[in-house]
Amino acid sequence: MLLMDFQDILGCKVDIVTEQGLSYLIKDRVLAESKSLVYFTLKEAM
């Protein structure tokens, strides 16, 4: 599962959400603190 893969790789709890899924009350702070990751499998790259 993608979430578990990220948590294993990063060694911390991970939340995955789209920008549109963020509440306007916390959106600016979350985006300021967020890290963007690009993740794909070898199969998708071919």
Side-chain angles (χ1 to χ4, degrees):
M1 181 175 191
L2 184 62
L3 179 64
M4 291 179 182
D5 290 345
F6 281 141
Q7 290 180 156
D8 289 343
I9 291 166
L10 299 172
C12 62
K13 185 178 180 300
V14 173
D15 293 313
I16 298 175
V17 65
T18 65
E19 188 173 336
Q20 293 78 22
L22 293 170
S23 166
Y24 74 94
L25 297 172
I26 63 168
K27 185 175 186 173
D28 289 341
R29 181 174 177 183
V30 169
L31 291 176
E33 295 177 6
S34 68
K35 305 282 191 250
S36 295
L37 299 173
V38 177
Y39 178 85
F40 59 91
T41 64
L42 184 57
K43 183 177 178 181
E44 292 170 334
M46 296 179 129

mmCIF file of all heavy atoms in Angstrom:
data_model
loop_
_atom_site.group_PDB
_atom_site.id
_atom_site.type_symbol
_atom_site.label_atom_id
_atom_site.label_comp_id
_atom_site.label_asym_id
_atom_site.label_seq_id
_atom_site.Cartn_x
_atom_site.Cartn_y
_atom_site.Cartn_z
ATOM 1 N N MET A 1 0.843 -1.177 0.000
ATOM 2 C CA MET A 1 0.000 0.000 0.000
ATOM 3 C C MET A 1 0.894 1.248 0.000
ATOM 4 O O MET A 1 1.896 1.311 0.701
ATOM 5 C CB MET A 1 -0.920 -0.036 1.214
ATOM 6 C CG MET A 1 -1.839 1.111 1.314
ATOM 7 S SD MET A 1 -2.958 0.858 2.701
ATOM 8 C CE MET A 1 -4.089 2.145 2.363
ATOM 9 N N LEU A 2 0.531 2.226 -0.762
ATOM 10 C CA LEU A 2 1.324 3.434 -0.939
ATOM 11 C C LEU A 2 1.625 4.135 0.390
ATOM 12 O O LEU A 2 2.761 4.521 0.654
ATOM 13 C CB LEU A 2 0.598 4.392 -1.881
ATOM 14 C CG LEU A 2 1.327 5.673 -2.248
ATOM 15 C CD1 LEU A 2 2.614 5.365 -2.983
ATOM 16 C CD2 LEU A 2 0.430 6.556 -3.094
ATOM 17 N N LEU A 3 0.627 4.295 1.235
ATOM 18 C CA LEU A 3 0.821 4.970 2.516
ATOM 19 C C LEU A 3 1.869 4.268 3.364
ATOM 20 O O LEU A 3 2.779 4.897 3.899
ATOM 21 C CB LEU A 3 -0.500 5.061 3.276
ATOM 22 C CG LEU A 3 -0.457 5.722 4.646
ATOM 23 C CD1 LEU A 3 -0.064 7.176 4.517
ATOM 24 C CD2 LEU A 3 -1.792 5.602 5.338
ATOM 25 N N MET A 4 1.776 2.963 3.462
ATOM 26 C CA MET A 4 2.742 2.189 4.246
ATOM 27 C C MET A 4 4.137 2.258 3.638
ATOM 28 O O MET A 4 5.132 2.324 4.366
ATOM 29 C CB MET A 4 2.287 0.746 4.381
ATOM 30 C CG MET A 4 1.080 0.572 5.242
ATOM 31 S SD MET A 4 0.642 -1.170 5.271
ATOM 32 C CE MET A 4 -0.800 -1.139 6.273
ATOM 33 N N ASP A 5 4.224 2.261 2.311
ATOM 34 C CA ASP A 5 5.522 2.394 1.642
ATOM 35 C C ASP A 5 6.191 3.707 2.035
ATOM 36 O O ASP A 5 7.366 3.733 2.381
ATOM 37 C CB ASP A 5 5.371 2.339 0.120
ATOM 38 C CG ASP A 5 4.995 0.962 -0.394
ATOM 39 O OD1 ASP A 5 5.126 -0.019 0.364
ATOM 40 O OD2 ASP A 5 4.561 0.875 -1.558
ATOM 41 N N PHE A 6 5.441 4.795 1.970
ATOM 42 C CA PHE A 6 6.004 6.093 2.343
ATOM 43 C C PHE A 6 6.421 6.127 3.804
ATOM 44 O O PHE A 6 7.465 6.663 4.153
ATOM 45 C CB PHE A 6 5.016 7.229 2.070
ATOM 46 C CG PHE A 6 4.956 7.659 0.629
ATOM 47 C CD1 PHE A 6 3.746 8.000 0.047
ATOM 48 C CD2 PHE A 6 6.098 7.740 -0.145
ATOM 49 C CE1 PHE A 6 3.684 8.410 -1.277
ATOM 50 C CE2 PHE A 6 6.047 8.153 -1.460
ATOM 51 C CZ PHE A 6 4.824 8.490 -2.031
ATOM 52 N N GLN A 7 5.603 5.575 4.681
ATOM 53 C CA GLN A 7 5.929 5.567 6.103
ATOM 54 C C GLN A 7 7.194 4.750 6.362
ATOM 55 O O GLN A 7 8.043 5.158 7.158
ATOM 56 C CB GLN A 7 4.753 5.041 6.930
ATOM 57 C CG GLN A 7 3.602 6.001 6.941
ATOM 58 C CD GLN A 7 2.385 5.567 7.737
ATOM 59 O OE1 GLN A 7 1.642 6.410 8.141
ATOM 60 N NE2 GLN A 7 2.156 4.299 7.943
ATOM 61 N N ASP A 8 7.344 3.636 5.675
ATOM 62 C CA ASP A 8 8.555 2.820 5.818
ATOM 63 C C ASP A 8 9.786 3.568 5.307
ATOM 64 O O ASP A 8 10.834 3.579 5.948
ATOM 65 C CB ASP A 8 8.413 1.497 5.056
ATOM 66 C CG ASP A 8 7.432 0.535 5.714
ATOM 67 O OD1 ASP A 8 7.100 0.735 6.908
ATOM 68 O OD2 ASP A 8 7.006 -0.414 5.036
ATOM 69 N N ILE A 9 9.662 4.203 4.165
ATOM 70 C CA ILE A 9 10.788 4.920 3.570
ATOM 71 C C ILE A 9 11.195 6.122 4.417
ATOM 72 O O ILE A 9 12.385 6.352 4.660
ATOM 73 C CB ILE A 9 10.438 5.380 2.137
ATOM 74 C CG1 ILE A 9 10.317 4.164 1.203
ATOM 75 C CG2 ILE A 9 11.470 6.362 1.603
ATOM 76 C CD1 ILE A 9 9.667 4.468 -0.126
ATOM 77 N N LEU A 10 10.212 6.881 4.884
ATOM 78 C CA LEU A 10 10.490 8.115 5.614
ATOM 79 C C LEU A 10 10.686 7.913 7.113
ATOM 80 O O LEU A 10 11.220 8.782 7.792
ATOM 81 C CB LEU A 10 9.372 9.133 5.371
ATOM 82 C CG LEU A 10 9.188 9.556 3.911
ATOM 83 C CD1 LEU A 10 7.936 10.408 3.762
ATOM 84 C CD2 LEU A 10 10.407 10.304 3.410
ATOM 85 N N GLY A 11 10.216 6.776 7.624
ATOM 86 C CA GLY A 11 10.372 6.489 9.040
ATOM 87 C C GLY A 11 9.514 7.348 9.950
ATOM 88 O O GLY A 11 9.873 7.612 11.096
ATOM 89 N N CYS A 12 8.359 7.812 9.435
ATOM 90 C CA CYS A 12 7.453 8.611 10.256
ATOM 91 C C CYS A 12 6.029 8.457 9.721
ATOM 92 O O CYS A 12 5.817 7.898 8.654
ATOM 93 C CB CYS A 12 7.864 10.077 10.251
ATOM 94 S SG CYS A 12 7.813 10.852 8.629
ATOM 95 N N LYS A 13 5.054 8.953 10.504
ATOM 96 C CA LYS A 13 3.661 8.908 10.083
ATOM 97 C C LYS A 13 3.476 9.822 8.880
ATOM 98 O O LYS A 13 4.033 10.916 8.829
ATOM 99 C CB LYS A 13 2.748 9.362 11.219
ATOM 100 C CG LYS A 13 1.283 9.242 10.906
ATOM 101 C CD LYS A 13 0.456 9.666 12.105
ATOM 102 C CE LYS A 13 -1.020 9.542 11.812
ATOM 103 N NZ LYS A 13 -1.507 10.339 10.701
ATOM 104 N N VAL A 14 2.697 9.369 7.917
ATOM 105 C CA VAL A 14 2.471 10.112 6.689
ATOM 106 C C VAL A 14 0.974 10.225 6.444
ATOM 107 O O VAL A 14 0.233 9.268 6.640
ATOM 108 C CB VAL A 14 3.132 9.379 5.491
ATOM 109 C CG1 VAL A 14 2.765 10.032 4.179
ATOM 110 C CG2 VAL A 14 4.635 9.314 5.675
ATOM 111 N N ASP A 15 0.541 11.401 6.044
ATOM 112 C CA ASP A 15 -0.838 11.609 5.605
ATOM 113 C C ASP A 15 -0.792 11.973 4.127
ATOM 114 O O ASP A 15 0.023 12.792 3.708
ATOM 115 C CB ASP A 15 -1.504 12.751 6.370
ATOM 116 C CG ASP A 15 -1.720 12.427 7.834
ATOM 117 O OD1 ASP A 15 -2.213 11.325 8.121
ATOM 118 O OD2 ASP A 15 -1.396 13.274 8.677
ATOM 119 N N ILE A 16 -1.664 11.352 3.351
ATOM 120 C CA ILE A 16 -1.725 11.639 1.922
ATOM 121 C C ILE A 16 -3.081 12.272 1.644
ATOM 122 O O ILE A 16 -4.120 11.709 1.956
ATOM 123 C CB ILE A 16 -1.556 10.352 1.086
ATOM 124 C CG1 ILE A 16 -0.189 9.739 1.346
ATOM 125 C CG2 ILE A 16 -1.752 10.658 -0.393
ATOM 126 C CD1 ILE A 16 0.033 8.412 0.668
ATOM 127 N N VAL A 17 -3.045 13.474 1.084
ATOM 128 C CA VAL A 17 -4.272 14.207 0.791
ATOM 129 C C VAL A 17 -4.009 15.132 -0.394
ATOM 130 O O VAL A 17 -2.883 15.569 -0.609
ATOM 131 C CB VAL A 17 -4.745 15.013 2.033
ATOM 132 C CG1 VAL A 17 -3.762 16.085 2.400
ATOM 133 C CG2 VAL A 17 -6.122 15.593 1.842
ATOM 134 N N THR A 18 -5.039 15.392 -1.160
ATOM 135 C CA THR A 18 -4.894 16.365 -2.239
ATOM 136 C C THR A 18 -5.009 17.766 -1.656
ATOM 137 O O THR A 18 -5.546 17.964 -0.559
ATOM 138 C CB THR A 18 -5.994 16.192 -3.308
ATOM 139 O OG1 THR A 18 -7.262 16.478 -2.724
ATOM 140 C CG2 THR A 18 -5.980 14.787 -3.905
ATOM 141 N N GLU A 19 -4.513 18.743 -2.373
ATOM 142 C CA GLU A 19 -4.614 20.129 -1.911
ATOM 143 C C GLU A 19 -6.082 20.525 -1.721
ATOM 144 O O GLU A 19 -6.433 21.225 -0.776
ATOM 145 C CB GLU A 19 -3.938 21.047 -2.921
ATOM 146 C CG GLU A 19 -3.822 22.480 -2.455
ATOM 147 C CD GLU A 19 -3.010 23.345 -3.400
ATOM 148 O OE1 GLU A 19 -2.172 22.819 -4.147
ATOM 149 O OE2 GLU A 19 -3.227 24.564 -3.369
ATOM 150 N N GLN A 20 -6.945 20.053 -2.588
ATOM 151 C CA GLN A 20 -8.369 20.372 -2.487
ATOM 152 C C GLN A 20 -9.019 19.719 -1.261
ATOM 153 O O GLN A 20 -10.053 20.175 -0.795
ATOM 154 C CB GLN A 20 -9.121 19.928 -3.751
ATOM 155 C CG GLN A 20 -8.734 20.696 -4.994
ATOM 156 C CD GLN A 20 -7.408 20.229 -5.597
ATOM 157 O OE1 GLN A 20 -6.950 19.112 -5.362
ATOM 158 N NE2 GLN A 20 -6.783 21.086 -6.384
ATOM 159 N N GLY A 21 -8.396 18.673 -0.746
ATOM 160 C CA GLY A 21 -8.933 17.972 0.409
ATOM 161 C C GLY A 21 -8.604 18.626 1.741
ATOM 162 O O GLY A 21 -9.100 18.201 2.780
ATOM 163 N N LEU A 22 -7.785 19.673 1.723
ATOM 164 C CA LEU A 22 -7.393 20.356 2.953
ATOM 165 C C LEU A 22 -8.437 21.388 3.362
ATOM 166 O O LEU A 22 -8.958 22.123 2.531
ATOM 167 C CB LEU A 22 -6.057 21.075 2.764
ATOM 168 C CG LEU A 22 -4.834 20.198 2.550
ATOM 169 C CD1 LEU A 22 -3.653 21.062 2.134
ATOM 170 C CD2 LEU A 22 -4.516 19.431 3.810
ATOM 171 N N SER A 23 -8.713 21.468 4.643
ATOM 172 C CA SER A 23 -9.597 22.498 5.175
ATOM 173 C C SER A 23 -8.946 23.866 4.993
ATOM 174 O O SER A 23 -7.744 24.028 5.209
ATOM 175 C CB SER A 23 -9.842 22.249 6.658
ATOM 176 O OG SER A 23 -10.418 23.389 7.271
ATOM 177 N N TYR A 24 -9.737 24.853 4.627
ATOM 178 C CA TYR A 24 -9.196 26.208 4.467
ATOM 179 C C TYR A 24 -8.610 26.745 5.770
ATOM 180 O O TYR A 24 -7.770 27.631 5.764
ATOM 181 C CB TYR A 24 -10.266 27.158 3.929
ATOM 182 C CG TYR A 24 -11.319 27.557 4.950
ATOM 183 C CD1 TYR A 24 -11.172 28.723 5.696
ATOM 184 C CD2 TYR A 24 -12.431 26.764 5.179
ATOM 185 C CE1 TYR A 24 -12.117 29.090 6.640
ATOM 186 C CE2 TYR A 24 -13.381 27.120 6.115
ATOM 187 C CZ TYR A 24 -13.229 28.287 6.846
ATOM 188 O OH TYR A 24 -14.163 28.644 7.785
ATOM 189 N N LEU A 25 -9.030 26.182 6.906
ATOM 190 C CA LEU A 25 -8.541 26.643 8.208
ATOM 191 C C LEU A 25 -7.069 26.282 8.435
ATOM 192 O O LEU A 25 -6.376 26.964 9.178
ATOM 193 C CB LEU A 25 -9.389 26.040 9.337
ATOM 194 C CG LEU A 25 -10.858 26.451 9.344
ATOM 195 C CD1 LEU A 25 -11.624 25.639 10.374
ATOM 196 C CD2 LEU A 25 -10.994 27.947 9.606
ATOM 197 N N ILE A 26 -6.601 25.205 7.805
ATOM 198 C CA ILE A 26 -5.220 24.748 8.020
ATOM 199 C C ILE A 26 -4.402 24.674 6.730
ATOM 200 O O ILE A 26 -3.216 24.373 6.770
ATOM 201 C CB ILE A 26 -5.197 23.373 8.729
ATOM 202 C CG1 ILE A 26 -5.862 22.305 7.853
ATOM 203 C CG2 ILE A 26 -5.818 23.454 10.096
ATOM 204 C CD1 ILE A 26 -5.641 20.888 8.328
ATOM 205 N N LYS A 27 -5.033 24.960 5.615
ATOM 206 C CA LYS A 27 -4.407 24.760 4.308
ATOM 207 C C LYS A 27 -3.065 25.478 4.162
ATOM 208 O O LYS A 27 -2.077 24.871 3.747
ATOM 209 C CB LYS A 27 -5.360 25.209 3.210
ATOM 210 C CG LYS A 27 -4.873 24.932 1.817
ATOM 211 C CD LYS A 27 -5.938 25.307 0.814
ATOM 212 C CE LYS A 27 -5.545 24.908 -0.577
ATOM 213 N NZ LYS A 27 -6.637 25.113 -1.531
ATOM 214 N N ASP A 28 -2.999 26.768 4.489
ATOM 215 C CA ASP A 28 -1.750 27.525 4.311
ATOM 216 C C ASP A 28 -0.610 26.929 5.140
ATOM 217 O O ASP A 28 0.513 26.785 4.651
ATOM 218 C CB ASP A 28 -1.951 28.996 4.680
ATOM 219 C CG ASP A 28 -2.796 29.747 3.668
ATOM 220 O OD1 ASP A 28 -2.930 29.262 2.525
ATOM 221 O OD2 ASP A 28 -3.332 30.816 4.023
ATOM 222 N N ARG A 29 -0.885 26.572 6.373
ATOM 223 C CA ARG A 29 0.159 26.013 7.239
ATOM 224 C C ARG A 29 0.614 24.645 6.742
ATOM 225 O O ARG A 29 1.805 24.351 6.679
ATOM 226 C CB ARG A 29 -0.333 25.914 8.678
ATOM 227 C CG ARG A 29 0.727 25.359 9.591
ATOM 228 C CD ARG A 29 0.322 25.379 11.023
ATOM 229 N NE ARG A 29 1.373 24.755 11.824
ATOM 230 C CZ ARG A 29 1.286 24.566 13.109
ATOM 231 N NH1 ARG A 29 0.225 24.955 13.773
ATOM 232 N NH2 ARG A 29 2.258 23.982 13.758
ATOM 233 N N VAL A 30 -0.344 23.808 6.384
ATOM 234 C CA VAL A 30 -0.004 22.461 5.903
ATOM 235 C C VAL A 30 0.845 22.542 4.641
ATOM 236 O O VAL A 30 1.858 21.853 4.515
ATOM 237 C CB VAL A 30 -1.281 21.620 5.659
ATOM 238 C CG1 VAL A 30 -0.954 20.329 4.922
ATOM 239 C CG2 VAL A 30 -1.985 21.330 6.979
ATOM 240 N N LEU A 31 0.474 23.399 3.713
ATOM 241 C CA LEU A 31 1.245 23.531 2.470
ATOM 242 C C LEU A 31 2.634 24.095 2.735
ATOM 243 O O LEU A 31 3.597 23.692 2.084
ATOM 244 C CB LEU A 31 0.490 24.392 1.461
ATOM 245 C CG LEU A 31 -0.785 23.761 0.896
ATOM 246 C CD1 LEU A 31 -1.502 24.744 -0.020
ATOM 247 C CD2 LEU A 31 -0.507 22.462 0.178
ATOM 248 N N ALA A 32 2.744 24.987 3.693
ATOM 249 C CA ALA A 32 4.051 25.548 4.029
ATOM 250 C C ALA A 32 4.976 24.490 4.625
ATOM 251 O O ALA A 32 6.191 24.523 4.430
ATOM 252 C CB ALA A 32 3.883 26.711 4.999
ATOM 253 N N GLU A 33 4.401 23.544 5.364
ATOM 254 C CA GLU A 33 5.194 22.504 6.027
ATOM 255 C C GLU A 33 5.302 21.217 5.213
ATOM 256 O O GLU A 33 6.041 20.310 5.586
ATOM 257 C CB GLU A 33 4.570 22.163 7.381
ATOM 258 C CG GLU A 33 4.598 23.310 8.363
ATOM 259 C CD GLU A 33 3.912 22.973 9.673
ATOM 260 O OE1 GLU A 33 3.504 21.812 9.874
ATOM 261 O OE2 GLU A 33 3.781 23.883 10.506
ATOM 262 N N SER A 34 4.575 21.133 4.119
ATOM 263 C CA SER A 34 4.493 19.882 3.367
ATOM 264 C C SER A 34 5.764 19.599 2.572
ATOM 265 O O SER A 34 6.554 20.487 2.272
ATOM 266 C CB SER A 34 3.302 19.905 2.423
ATOM 267 O OG SER A 34 3.516 20.848 1.396
ATOM 268 N N LYS A 35 5.913 18.341 2.230
ATOM 269 C CA LYS A 35 6.996 17.885 1.363
ATOM 270 C C LYS A 35 6.339 17.195 0.176
ATOM 271 O O LYS A 35 5.495 16.329 0.334
ATOM 272 C CB LYS A 35 7.892 16.869 2.084
ATOM 273 C CG LYS A 35 8.467 17.361 3.389
ATOM 274 C CD LYS A 35 9.631 18.283 3.150
ATOM 275 C CE LYS A 35 10.362 18.556 4.423
ATOM 276 N NZ LYS A 35 10.238 19.875 4.933
ATOM 277 N N SER A 36 6.716 17.589 -1.009
ATOM 278 C CA SER A 36 6.200 16.941 -2.211
ATOM 279 C C SER A 36 7.097 15.774 -2.567
ATOM 280 O O SER A 36 8.324 15.893 -2.547
ATOM 281 C CB SER A 36 6.153 17.928 -3.378
ATOM 282 O OG SER A 36 5.234 18.946 -3.106
ATOM 283 N N LEU A 37 6.482 14.667 -2.905
ATOM 284 C CA LEU A 37 7.219 13.469 -3.292
ATOM 285 C C LEU A 37 6.695 12.969 -4.626
ATOM 286 O O LEU A 37 5.506 13.028 -4.899
ATOM 287 C CB LEU A 37 7.046 12.362 -2.248
ATOM 288 C CG LEU A 37 7.540 12.671 -0.844
ATOM 289 C CD1 LEU A 37 7.133 11.551 0.097
ATOM 290 C CD2 LEU A 37 9.043 12.831 -0.842
ATOM 291 N N VAL A 38 7.592 12.470 -5.438
ATOM 292 C CA VAL A 38 7.200 11.815 -6.680
ATOM 293 C C VAL A 38 7.466 10.341 -6.484
ATOM 294 O O VAL A 38 8.570 9.931 -6.143
ATOM 295 C CB VAL A 38 8.005 12.360 -7.881
ATOM 296 C CG1 VAL A 38 7.637 11.619 -9.137
ATOM 297 C CG2 VAL A 38 7.769 13.853 -8.035
ATOM 298 N N TYR A 39 6.448 9.529 -6.687
ATOM 299 C CA TYR A 39 6.563 8.098 -6.435
ATOM 300 C C TYR A 39 5.964 7.356 -7.628
ATOM 301 O O TYR A 39 4.858 7.636 -8.044
ATOM 302 C CB TYR A 39 5.797 7.749 -5.165
ATOM 303 C CG TYR A 39 5.786 6.276 -4.814
ATOM 304 C CD1 TYR A 39 6.840 5.725 -4.102
ATOM 305 C CD2 TYR A 39 4.735 5.458 -5.184
ATOM 306 C CE1 TYR A 39 6.849 4.389 -3.770
ATOM 307 C CE2 TYR A 39 4.738 4.113 -4.854
ATOM 308 C CZ TYR A 39 5.785 3.589 -4.149
ATOM 309 O OH TYR A 39 5.801 2.259 -3.812
ATOM 310 N N PHE A 40 6.719 6.458 -8.174
ATOM 311 C CA PHE A 40 6.207 5.605 -9.223
ATOM 312 C C PHE A 40 6.968 4.295 -9.193
ATOM 313 O O PHE A 40 8.063 4.216 -8.666
ATOM 314 C CB PHE A 40 6.307 6.266 -10.609
ATOM 315 C CG PHE A 40 7.698 6.628 -11.014
ATOM 316 C CD1 PHE A 40 8.478 5.733 -11.721
ATOM 317 C CD2 PHE A 40 8.226 7.864 -10.678
ATOM 318 C CE1 PHE A 40 9.775 6.068 -12.093
ATOM 319 C CE2 PHE A 40 9.533 8.205 -11.043
ATOM 320 C CZ PHE A 40 10.295 7.305 -11.750
ATOM 321 N N THR A 41 6.376 3.299 -9.765
ATOM 322 C CA THR A 41 7.035 2.006 -9.814
ATOM 323 C C THR A 41 7.813 1.882 -11.122
ATOM 324 O O THR A 41 7.567 2.622 -12.071
ATOM 325 C CB THR A 41 6.011 0.855 -9.736
ATOM 326 O OG1 THR A 41 5.184 0.897 -10.886
ATOM 327 C CG2 THR A 41 5.182 0.949 -8.458
ATOM 328 N N LEU A 42 8.722 0.962 -11.161
ATOM 329 C CA LEU A 42 9.487 0.729 -12.378
ATOM 330 C C LEU A 42 8.559 0.365 -13.532
ATOM 331 O O LEU A 42 8.749 0.816 -14.652
ATOM 332 C CB LEU A 42 10.511 -0.376 -12.138
ATOM 333 C CG LEU A 42 11.463 -0.683 -13.267
ATOM 334 C CD1 LEU A 42 12.230 0.572 -13.682
ATOM 335 C CD2 LEU A 42 12.437 -1.770 -12.886
ATOM 336 N N LYS A 43 7.526 -0.394 -13.248
ATOM 337 C CA LYS A 43 6.583 -0.785 -14.279
ATOM 338 C C LYS A 43 5.915 0.449 -14.903
ATOM 339 O O LYS A 43 5.738 0.524 -16.108
ATOM 340 C CB LYS A 43 5.512 -1.714 -13.693
ATOM 341 C CG LYS A 43 4.528 -2.239 -14.706
ATOM 342 C CD LYS A 43 3.550 -3.196 -14.054
ATOM 343 C CE LYS A 43 2.539 -3.681 -15.058
ATOM 344 N NZ LYS A 43 1.547 -4.594 -14.471
ATOM 345 N N GLU A 44 5.558 1.446 -14.085
ATOM 346 C CA GLU A 44 4.920 2.657 -14.591
ATOM 347 C C GLU A 44 5.891 3.492 -15.417
ATOM 348 O O GLU A 44 5.478 4.204 -16.318
ATOM 349 C CB GLU A 44 4.385 3.492 -13.433
ATOM 350 C CG GLU A 44 3.236 2.852 -12.698
ATOM 351 C CD GLU A 44 2.889 3.579 -11.407
ATOM 352 O OE1 GLU A 44 3.763 4.229 -10.828
ATOM 353 O OE2 GLU A 44 1.717 3.462 -11.007
ATOM 354 N N ALA A 45 7.166 3.406 -15.111
ATOM 355 C CA ALA A 45 8.158 4.214 -15.815
ATOM 356 C C ALA A 45 8.449 3.690 -17.215
ATOM 357 O O ALA A 45 8.964 4.405 -18.046
ATOM 358 C CB ALA A 45 9.453 4.261 -14.992
ATOM 359 N N MET A 46 8.132 2.431 -17.466
ATOM 360 C CA MET A 46 8.454 1.824 -18.765
ATOM 361 C C MET A 46 7.380 2.056 -19.797
ATOM 362 O O MET A 46 6.353 2.354 -19.724
ATOM 363 C CB MET A 46 8.688 0.330 -18.610
ATOM 364 C CG MET A 46 9.888 0.056 -17.736
ATOM 365 S SD MET A 46 10.138 -1.703 -17.551
ATOM 366 C CE MET A 46 11.837 -1.789 -17.989
#
